[in-house]
Amino acid sequence: MANPLDEVHDQVSEGRDARVIEKQIPVKVGIGSTIFEIILWVCGIIPGIIFLFMKINAGTYLRSLEQKIQSAASTIDNYLEQRVVILQNAARLLDKAIDLDKDVLTKVAAYRGGVNPNVDASRNQVSSQVDQLFGQINVAFERYPDIKAHDEIQNCLQQNSYLQKEVTAARDTYNDCVFEWNSAIQQWPTKMIVAAKAGYTTRIPFSTTQEIRSAARGVFF
C-alpha cells in the first residue's frame, strides 16, 4: 500500500526538503470492521452493548477534541488579527507609504466565524500574507531609516515581535491538537470505526510559509 502522504513524486532538485504536506486523508475501514462488530453481537448481547458504549464514548471524545482544535485555531487567528491591526497602524505612521492588503483582516475574521470550508489549508496562506505586510514595512524602513527612531513606530515593532512569539506558541499548541486528532482517528477498532462512519479526515498541521523557509537559509552574520 502506498504512503497516502506521498513525497516520492515531488520535484526536489537537491535532496528531500522537510515540509508539511497539505493533504486531508479520509478515514476508511474495510469489511473486516463490519464482521468484527457482527461477531461481537453474535457472541452475546453484553459484548455488543459494551462495544456500543465504547463507540459512544469515542464519538464524544472526538467531538470534544474537534472543539479543542477549533479553540487552538481561534487563538492563532486572534493573534494574526492583532498583528494585522498593528501593521496597519504602522503603515499609517509611515504616511501611507505602504499599500497594505485590506482583504487580509476580512479573511482572518471569516476563518474565526467558520465561513471558509477549507480553513486548515488556507490558514498558512493568511499567515504568509501577514508576513508579507511586515516585509513591506521593513522595505519602507530601508528607504526612510530615520523614521525608525519614532517612538510609536518602535512600539508597533515591539508589539509585532511579541505577537509573533505568541503566534509561534499558539501554532505549537494547535499542531499538538492536530497530532492528537490524526493519531486518534487511526486507532482501531473503536475510534477508527466511529471516525469512518462520521466521515472524518486527518487535519493539516500549521507550517511556516515558503518565504520564511527560504529566508531561513540565508546568511545573517
Side-chain angles (χ1 to χ4, degrees), residues 114-127:
V115 175
N116 192 334
N118 300 313
V119 171
D120 287 342
S122 301
R123 186 169 283 108
N124 285 340
Q125 181 182 357
V126 172
S127 179

Side-chain angles (χ1 to χ4, degrees), residues 124-149:
N124 285 340
Q125 181 182 357
V126 172
S127 179
S128 175
Q129 290 178 312
V130 175
D131 288 336
Q132 289 175 9
L133 301 186
F134 185 57
Q136 293 176 39
I137 288 181
N138 281 336
V139 171
F141 282 157
E142 293 175 1
R143 293 177 181 174
Y144 312 104
D146 292 340
I147 203 169
K148 287 184 180 180

Side-chain angles (χ1 to χ4, degrees), residues 152-192:
E152 293 185 25
I153 287 290
Q154 285 292 341
N155 183 45
C156 283
L157 290 178
Q158 290 176 359
Q159 292 183 60
N160 178 75
S161 178
Y162 165 76
L163 287 174
Q164 182 54 44
K165 293 178 182 178
E166 293 297 325
V167 168
T168 300
R171 283 182 180 182
D172 289 339
T173 301
Y174 176 82
N175 284 347
D176 287 343
C177 294
V178 167
F179 174 77
E180 185 178 353
W181 169 270
N182 291 344
S183 299
I185 60 176
Q186 299 296 336
Q187 294 175 10
W188 191 88
T190 314
K191 293 185 178 68
M192 194 170 183

Side-chain angles (χ1 to χ4, degrees):
M1 179 179 177
N3 185 353
L5 296 176
D6 187 9
E7 289 182 318
V8 175
H9 299 93
D10 292 342
Q11 296 295 324
V12 180
S13 58
E14 296 180 3
R16 183 68 55 187
D17 191 9
R19 67 191 186 281
V20 172
I21 300 175
E22 295 190 356
K23 182 179 181 181
Q24 291 175 289
I25 303 174
V27 181
K28 297 180 180 180
V29 293
I31 188 65
S33 297
T34 303
I35 295 175
F36 172 77
E37 292 192 71
I38 293 175
I39 291 176
L40 288 178
W41 286 103
V42 170
C43 291
I45 190 172
I46 294 179
I49 291 177
I50 290 176
F51 190 68
L52 177 62
F53 277 102
M54 289 175 64
K55 290 195 296 181
I56 293 173
N57 291 335
T60 302
Y61 168 77
L62 291 176
R63 288 191 296 271
S64 176
L65 184 54
E66 189 173 27
Q67 292 304 313
K68 184 178 179 181
I69 292 175
Q70 289 296 314
S71 176
S74 178
T75 299
I76 296 175
D77 293 343
N78 286 337
Y79 286 130
L80 287 175
E81 181 177 347
Q82 292 179 53
R83 282 196 71 196
V84 172
V85 172
I86 288 173
L87 295 177
Q88 287 176 333
N89 291 338
R92 283 193 288 269
L93 293 172
L94 290 171
D95 294 328
K96 300 181 180 179
I98 305 168
D99 183 18
L100 294 179
D101 185 355
K102 298 179 181 179
D103 191 44
V104 175
L105 186 59
T106 302
K107 290 179 180 178
V108 173
Y111 297 149
R112 294 179 61 198
V115 175
N116 192 334
N118 300 313
V119 171
D120 287 342
S122 301
R123 186 169 283 108
N124 285 340
Q125 181 182 357
V126 172
S127 179
S128 175
Q129 290 178 312
V130 175
D131 288 336
Q132 289 175 9
L133 301 186
F134 185 57
Q136 293 176 39
I137 288 181
N138 281 336
V139 171
F141 282 157
E142 293 175 1
R143 293 177 181 174
Y144 312 104
D146 292 340
I147 203 169
K148 287 184 180 180
H150 198 296
D151 289 340
E152 293 185 25
I153 287 290
Q154 285 292 341
N155 183 45
C156 283
L157 290 178
Q158 290 176 359
Q159 292 183 60
N160 178 75
S161 178
Y162 165 76
L163 287 174
Q164 182 54 44
K165 293 178 182 178
E166 293 297 325
V167 168
T168 300
R171 283 182 180 182
D172 289 339
T173 301
Y174 176 82
N175 284 347
D176 287 343
C177 294
V178 167
F179 174 77
E180 185 178 353
W181 169 270
N182 291 344
S183 299
I185 60 176
Q186 299 296 336
Q187 294 175 10
W188 191 88
T190 314
K191 293 185 178 68
M192 194 170 183
I193 291 175
V194 171
K197 290 183 177 179
Y200 289 148
T201 67
T202 58
R203 306 295 293 263
I204 300 172
F206 205 130
S207 62
T208 190
T209 64
Q210 183 59 42
E211 291 183 357
I212 297 299
R213 191 191 306 276
S214 299
R217 296 188 177 91
V219 178
F220 298 93
F221 302 100

